[in-house]
């Protein structure tokens, strides 16, 4: 075996390796199981005893030298690859990072919070009431027996369970509040989602929020209702708002009213918002019907109460000149980011 030529050939071939794959192939050729260096070492057995020490010494020197050369070449190639990837896929660490998009409150949430805060200041607690209701609480206990024509005011989503419906207004919450607090006086607002089986349009959605209000106690009068609503309207819309009360009808209040507030004539939106009248409707309300008080566990001879119900989406539309109610639940960022 010609060790000198083996070393020369291996060294030359190693020098010619251009990349890591070539180096690994070289390593197999010389140091693999059948590799030439490995075989040269094995040959020691066949060498005549006199030459053994010299051969052994030389083959080991070559083995160690080639192995070291290989490691060095491999390290160099890896270094070069890293350097290349660093320059080719350069990363400018001085660039500012990508901003995480900042969330914000939904416009409906903001308006709802404003409304709740105003009533909280007037001593109304917030009461949460269920969205899935029974027919009894949504209608009957509110003085609307089955087949009562007033039920037509609320197109209802029924479930497959008879008598279980999605609430069409927050008024059934009045019953829950009364039954929890009777015979004690109570002041509460009940915000939440309502559902109506209506054709969706720019003005009506199948789901929308309402805020119900309820105050019960000895000698609660229409004057209290008027004062509460006026204070609320002035906090929300401006100090010098006038409140106008029109007679109306709801089965669960008697008398029943609808409430308008005046809108400044110099507001460019005044005509659109008030349909030219200068007055804007914000809620239905009235004095709680004696039958409803009784259904809630109160004695109508001893206490009286007022209730109101308003639509915060409607109020948000007025406050922000939003002209399509469907925008509220469409999750369109172009809309949501404006608030
Ligand atoms: N629940 C009524 C509606 O949805 C509003 C209302 C509430 C009226 C309370 C009077 C008293 O139209």
């Amino acid at each position: 075996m010609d060790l000198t030529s083996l070393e020369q050939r291996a060294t030359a071939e190693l020098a010619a390796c251009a990349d890591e794959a070539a180096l690994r192939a070289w390593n197999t050729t010389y140091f693999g199981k059948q590799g030439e260096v490995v075989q040269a070492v094995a040959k020691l057995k066949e060498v005549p005893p006199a030459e053994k020490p010299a051969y052994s010494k030389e083959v080991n020197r070559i083995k160690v030298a080639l192995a070291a050369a290989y490691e060095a070449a491999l390290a160099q190639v890896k270094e070069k690859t890293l350097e290349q990837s660093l320059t080719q896929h350069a990363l400018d660490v001085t660039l500012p990072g990508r901003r995480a998009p900042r969330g914000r409150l939904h416009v409906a949430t903001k308006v709802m919070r404003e409304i709740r805060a105003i009533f909280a200041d007037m001593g109304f607690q917030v009461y949460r009431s269920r969205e899935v209701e029974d027919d009894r609480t949504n209608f009957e206990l509110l003085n609307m027996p089955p087949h009562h024509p007033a039920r037509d005011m609320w197109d209802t989503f029924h479930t497959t369970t008879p008598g279980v419906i999605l609430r069409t207004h927050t008024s059934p919450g009045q019953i829950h509040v009364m039954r929890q607090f009777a015979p004690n006086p109570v002041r509460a607002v009940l915000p939440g989602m309502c559902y109506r089986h209506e054709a969706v349009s720019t003005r009506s959605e199948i789901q929308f929020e309402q805020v119900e209000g309820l105050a019960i106690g000895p000698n609660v009068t229409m004057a209290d209702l008027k004062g509460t609503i006026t204070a609320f309207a002035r906090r929300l819309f401006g100090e010098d708002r006038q409140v106008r009360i029109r007679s109306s009808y709801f089965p669960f209040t008697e008398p029943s009213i609808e409430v308008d507030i005046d809108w400044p004539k110099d507001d460019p939106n005044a005509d659109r918002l008030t349909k030219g009248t200068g007055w804007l409707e914000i809620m239905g309300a009235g004095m709680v019907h004696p039958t409803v008080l009784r259904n809630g566990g109160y004695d109508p001879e001893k206490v009286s109460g007022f209730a109101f119900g308003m639509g915060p989406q409607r109020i948000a539309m007025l406050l922000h000149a939003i002209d399509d109610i469907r925008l509220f639940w469409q999750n369109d960022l172009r809309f949501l980011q404006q608030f």
Side-chain angles (χ1 to χ4, degrees):
M1 167 131 254
D2 187 346
L3 290 178
T4 314
S5 87
L6 171 62
E7 183 179 18
Q8 278 170 0
R9 191 155 39 82
T11 309
E13 281 176 22
L14 185 66
C17 287
D19 53 22
E20 192 177 330
L23 282 175
R24 298 215 180 269
W26 178 94
N27 190 48
T28 310
T29 306
Y30 291 97
F31 285 96
K33 268 193 188 131
Q34 305 296 317
E36 292 191 39
V37 174
V38 175
Q39 279 174 355
V41 173
K43 276 258 168 61
L44 184 61
K45 299 198 282 295
E46 299 157 26
V47 173
E51 294 166 28
K52 261 189 184 164
Y55 184 92
S56 165
K57 198 174 162 200
E58 181 64 357
V59 82
N60 264 312
R61 184 192 62 77
I62 290 174
K63 185 179 149 189
V64 170
L66 287 177
Y70 169 72
E71 290 304 332
L74 194 63
Q76 207 178 0
V77 155
K78 281 189 173 165
E79 176 111 347
K80 215 161 83 193
T81 314
L82 177 65
E83 214 167 277
Q84 260 172 10
S85 109
L86 280 178
T87 45
Q88 275 170 18
H89 315 285
L91 174 71
D92 183 350
V93 293
T94 66
L95 275 177
R98 278 193 206 103
R99 282 179 182 283
R102 201 196 278 159
R104 66 184 74 203
L105 291 178
H106 194 288
V107 59
T109 308
K110 282 188 187 165
V111 172
M112 190 60 106
R113 286 193 179 183
E114 269 181 68
I115 294 171
R116 284 165 55 153
I118 294 170
F119 283 109
D121 284 353
M122 293 194 273
F124 285 75
Q125 62 173 304
V126 176
Y127 191 97
R128 298 204 127 257
S129 179
R130 64 188 67 154
E131 293 177 19
V132 179
E133 264 298 354
D134 48 30
D135 181 278
R136 218 171 116 70
T137 321
N138 194 83
F139 292 118
E140 267 190 77
L141 295 172
L142 292 173
N143 205 22
M144 281 177 278
H147 311 299
H148 192 292
R151 287 187 175 210
D152 287 352
M153 287 159 73
W154 297 275
D155 289 312
T156 310
F157 279 113
H158 296 265
T159 68
T160 47
T161 311
V164 176
I165 62 170
L166 299 185
R167 68 175 175 193
T168 57
H169 51 175
T170 43
S171 297
Q174 288 186 32
I175 299 292
H176 296 297
V177 171
M178 288 192 260
R179 290 191 166 179
Q180 183 166 333
F181 292 96
N184 298 311
V186 66
R187 257 178 291 178
V189 284
L190 300 92
M193 202 60 88
C194 305
Y195 304 87
R196 287 186 198 172
H197 188 230
E198 284 180 1
V200 174
S201 73
T202 52
R203 295 181 58 84
S204 36
E205 252 289 10
I206 57 168
Q207 73 172 80
F208 54 91
E209 290 171 307
Q210 280 194 341
V211 180
E212 191 85 7
L214 180 69
I216 297 175
N219 306 317
V220 172
T221 68
M222 189 72 119
D224 298 314
L225 172 58
K226 196 180 165 195
T228 304
I229 292 170
T230 307
F232 165 73
R234 289 182 179 164
R235 280 276 304 269
L236 193 65
F237 294 105
E239 259 319 304
D240 34 40
R241 289 306 155 87
Q242 298 302 310
V243 168
R244 180 172 83 168
I245 284 174
R246 283 178 291 116
S247 158
S248 183
Y249 170 75
F250 298 100
F252 33 91
T253 44
E254 180 61 35
S256 299
I257 59 172
E258 266 165 282
V259 179
D260 303 333
I261 58 166
D262 82 311
W263 201 263
K265 302 261 179 314
D266 52 351
D267 182 335
N269 292 315
D271 264 9
R272 178 178 58 80
L273 295 177
T274 70
K275 298 184 198 129
T277 64
W279 294 94
L280 187 88
E281 188 197 320
I282 58 163
M283 67 173 78
M287 300 308 292
V288 180
H289 195 288
T291 302
V292 176
L293 280 176
R294 224 174 280 119
N295 289 340
Y298 286 96
D299 180 352
E301 300 296 326
K302 294 200 179 116
V303 296
S304 50
F306 67 73
F308 56 81
M310 65 181 126
Q313 265 76 78
R314 221 184 114 73
I315 289 172
M317 289 170 84
L318 300 173
L319 282 174
H320 301 293
I322 299 165
D323 57 11
D324 190 335
I325 197 170
R326 292 172 295 188
L327 289 166
F328 280 96
W329 318 123
Q330 262 167 358
N331 280 345
D332 187 335
L333 287 180
R334 291 168 302 179
F335 170 71
L336 297 172
Q337 280 169 345
Q338 292 177 49
F339 305 100

